[in-house]
Amino acid sequence: MGSTSYVNEAHLNKLGVKCADIDIETGTPADGGPKLIDLIPIDQLDAITEKTDMHRDNAISATVDHPLSNIHEARFVGYFFLYGLFNSILKAPNKSVLDCSPWVVFERGPDAILSKFHGFHVVFTLELGDKSRPDITCFLATNAPCDDEVLYSSELLCIMRFGLGRLRAERYHGHHQTAAVTVASGSGRMVRIVQGYIDDNEGCVFVRKSKFLNLDGNKRENLERLMQISRWVLGRPCRE
């Protein structure tokens, strides 16, 4: 894998990118900046798993005899959300999990562009159903090996491409200072949260990244970790 899969410290400084850690349990960033997502309470997600058949999804089974490439394994995890969790029907109020969230699938624009790049794939992109904010959430699958300490170039591209594109859109232009982008970023069966936004006032990009979660354990462990990621994917945007 070439060095272009990652962005080194020198390039981050040149691009005006400030990178910090983020607590995957609370959503609190280490840079002291605003919290951008109110995570769904874990008990609410437990209720969802009880009301659906997600425990039967093959995505929560461990990889056994013939693991796929990193990008294909990660895409498989992304499909758990897109075709499993989002479409699961709750017995009450008889709506899908996605319909009960503030998000809808974003069918147009940068998703189609970013999906064309070699070495990574944007599995899905979500925007707010009421379009009250320009925020975006997406799932990124990449071939690059996992490394907690560095930022993928594909992660940064998602944040910059989505963030700039949304701020320049006619609906949001001039009305919002930031467009928060939350990326569930996967390589193989390892997934982390990367979140960022472009700050026009300071002329820089703020990026936060969590540690990777391993989704190659037993079914119970994998489902718990997928629900941990779901707290971010389906969380409600905020500016705290």
Side-chain angles (χ1 to χ4, degrees), residues 203-218:
C204 61
V205 182
F206 290 91
V207 178
R208 298 87 172 258
K209 57 182 177 60
S210 75
K211 300 294 185 183
F212 279 98
L213 295 179
N214 186 351
L215 303 178
D216 203 16
N218 60 49

Side-chain angles (χ1 to χ4, degrees), residues 3-223:
S3 60
T4 54
S5 296
Y6 310 100
V7 191
N8 62 36
E9 194 70 29
H11 284 125
L12 289 175
N13 292 333
K14 188 175 181 180
L15 292 168
V17 177
K18 298 182 179 181
C19 195
D21 292 333
I22 195 166
D23 187 340
I24 199 168
E25 296 283 350
T26 64
T28 303
D31 58 16
K35 183 178 176 181
L36 303 175
I37 287 280
D38 272 335
L39 306 186
I40 294 180
I42 194 65
D43 57 346
Q44 185 176 334
L45 284 173
D46 288 342
I48 289 175
T49 60
E50 290 175 3
K51 294 177 181 178
T52 65
D53 292 326
M54 281 187 299
H55 62 282
R56 299 178 182 175
D57 197 297
N58 288 332
I60 65 175
S61 300
T63 305
V64 281
D65 299 327
H66 303 289
L68 302 173
S69 66
N70 281 343
I71 191 170
H72 285 94
E73 285 284 358
R75 286 173 67 179
F76 191 56
V77 175
Y79 294 154
F80 165 84
F81 296 98
L82 184 60
Y83 300 117
L85 175 62
F86 293 170
N87 292 323
S88 295
I89 302 298
L90 300 173
K91 296 174 183 176
N94 196 30
K95 291 183 178 180
S96 73
V97 170
L98 190 62
D99 286 341
C100 292
S101 81
W103 302 95
V104 295
V105 175
F106 183 37
E107 303 284 0
R108 304 166 287 109
D111 182 30
I113 297 170
L114 290 176
S115 294
K116 301 294 185 182
F117 280 78
H118 176 69
F120 67 90
H121 174 227
V122 177
V123 178
F124 63 79
T125 308
L126 305 178
E127 66 175 343
L128 287 171
D130 63 7
K131 296 181 170 54
S132 57
R133 295 182 186 273
D135 297 17
I136 285 283
T137 292
C138 66
F139 190 98
L140 172 70
T142 181
N143 241 354
C146 297
D147 189 334
D148 278 326
E149 303 306 317
V150 298
L151 188 68
Y152 293 140
S153 54
S154 53
E155 293 168 338
L156 182 58
L157 180 59
C158 282
I159 290 168
M160 296 185 74
R161 178 64 181 90
F162 285 135
L164 278 174
R166 299 293 278 180
L167 287 177
R168 291 174 178 172
E170 183 177 354
R171 172 182 291 273
Y172 303 111
H173 184 66
H175 300 290
H176 294 269
Q177 296 289 332
T178 61
V181 180
T182 300
V183 184
S185 178
S187 175
R189 287 299 185 95
M190 305 290 284
V191 182
R192 70 176 173 186
I193 294 296
V194 178
Q195 193 176 61
Y197 64 96
I198 298 167
D199 190 315
D200 280 340
N201 293 329
E202 296 196 29
C204 61
V205 182
F206 290 91
V207 178
R208 298 87 172 258
K209 57 182 177 60
S210 75
K211 300 294 185 183
F212 279 98
L213 295 179
N214 186 351
L215 303 178
D216 203 16
N218 60 49
K219 278 194 171 187
R220 180 186 59 79
E221 292 170 339
N222 291 344
L223 185 57

